[in-house]
Amino acid sequence: MSRVAAVAPVVPDYSYTQAEITAELGPLLSATPSHQSVIERMHGASGIQRRHTALPLERYRDLGSFRESNDEFIRVATDLLDRALTTALTDAGLAPRDVDFVFFTSVTGVSAPSVDALLVPRLGLRPDVKRVPSFGLGCVAGAAGLARVHDYLVGHPDEVGVLLSVELCSLTLQRDDQTMGNFVATGLFGDGAAAVVMVGENRSEPGPRIVDTRSTFIADSHDVIGWNVGGTGFEIVLTAGVADVIQNSFPTEVSEFLGRNGLTIADIDTWLAHPGGPRVLEAFESSLGLERSDLQSSWDCLARVGNLSSAAVLHVLADALHADPAPAPGSHALAFALGPGVSAEFVLLEWS
């Protein structure tokens, strides 16, 4: 077993209303009046009130090559994760030298050395810290990262593992891409990061324990969501098929996963769903027979910061850890997300 000792969600300092973002970025996508109307309608129906951006909003007008965008990614991502991990370790009563294992994930920028490596000397992590940087998991990586750190700690019950997630979706802006997927993505995805500190079962730090995890890869769905990598960087692949995948696969996946732990859907007290967007959350609710109130924390997170890709479900988890009143001891939570593949990840937690 492992326990979640602390979660620190962070966002960039630049914050704008959804309407402000649409007014600034919409014309960069298309100058056609009919397209502008579509963009405004889509963004207005997203359920998002505010989003944070890596750069001041006006900087996106002149942001040039993929290299320039990616250089900004490395700079801002490192700053955000510095803040997140420092906060999470402090909240857990630990120091950087206590960390034994780091799982780092992002799908909105690349670097070698990876961002987690840049943090080793900056924060004073031990030179023998074990690192696993990951690219390509996308939105599922928040839940998948929890599961992979848990896997490590099951075999190293005296150690400390951390999950680092950062997504700067605004830096993937594709000008003059007049596809519906790009119109939707530009109004949906936000910028943010999170650090999660987890401990093995032999350690004394308190927190909800991870009981079990499940990974699922859904066949014949690789073209539903993801990136095409072109000369201008990351070009979004985003289709309406995401909701269909959820409707077709989640009832069986969740029931089987809970069943092997002696539970049913009715036994889950706290639902920690990836806030992928209104259609995604509605598909979660419909497929699992849930009410909107069951996923209210995910809806609230979506409204507050948008879809943060891999970091999104970790922001929802942070809200649950800081809830007042706290979840009752012995109650169960299910965290889940999905991403390119299509793949899905489920993490069952029990509050201590």
Side-chain angles (χ1 to χ4, degrees), residues 67-290:
R67 176 166 185 169
E68 182 181 350
S69 298
N70 199 66
D71 285 347
E72 292 289 1
F73 169 86
I74 296 170
R75 178 184 66 83
V76 177
T78 307
D79 288 345
L80 286 176
L81 286 180
D82 180 332
R83 179 154 50 106
L85 184 53
T86 298
T87 301
L89 287 171
T90 299
D91 290 349
L94 296 168
R97 293 191 64 83
D98 294 320
V99 176
D100 301 290
F101 176 77
V102 177
F103 186 95
F104 164 72
T105 189
S106 181
V107 76
T108 51
V110 293
S111 66
S114 52
V115 172
D116 54 297
L118 300 177
L119 291 172
V120 172
R122 180 166 169 165
L123 291 181
L125 297 169
R126 296 198 317 270
D128 67 341
V129 67
K130 294 177 279 289
R131 300 182 299 108
V132 179
S134 167
F135 179 89
L137 288 170
C139 295
V140 78
L146 291 173
R148 299 296 79 79
V149 178
H150 166 73
D151 292 343
Y152 174 84
L153 291 172
V154 167
H156 301 82
D158 298 307
E159 296 191 5
V160 175
V162 299
L163 166 61
L164 302 177
S165 162
V166 61
E167 303 291 5
L168 304 180
C169 304
S170 67
L171 295 177
T172 69
L173 178 70
Q174 293 293 305
R175 294 166 181 78
D176 300 319
D177 178 353
Q178 299 177 9
T179 63
M180 288 300 164
N182 193 43
F183 290 172
V184 172
T186 305
L188 180 62
F189 289 96
D191 294 355
V196 184
V197 176
M198 298 170 59
V199 296
E201 64 176 336
N202 291 346
R203 297 188 61 91
S204 60
E205 290 83 5
R209 67 187 187 103
I210 293 182
V211 178
D212 196 7
T213 68
R214 180 184 179 98
S215 302
T216 298
F217 192 89
I218 300 166
D220 301 321
S221 61
H222 65 278
D223 57 352
V224 171
I225 185 171
W227 292 124
N228 289 324
V229 182
T232 57
F234 301 122
E235 302 168 358
I236 191 72
V237 175
L238 184 63
T239 73
V242 175
D244 295 333
V245 169
I246 294 170
Q247 291 284 359
N248 293 333
S249 64
F250 266 55
T252 299
E253 294 291 342
V254 172
S255 295
E256 289 182 355
F257 176 51
L258 295 179
R260 79 185 191 193
N261 288 281
L263 300 171
T264 67
I265 287 175
D267 295 316
I268 300 301
D269 304 281
T270 305
W271 293 90
L272 309 174
H274 166 62
R279 291 196 64 185
V280 169
L281 289 175
E282 288 167 357
F284 287 149
E285 292 166 358
S286 174
S287 64
L288 299 176
L290 303 176

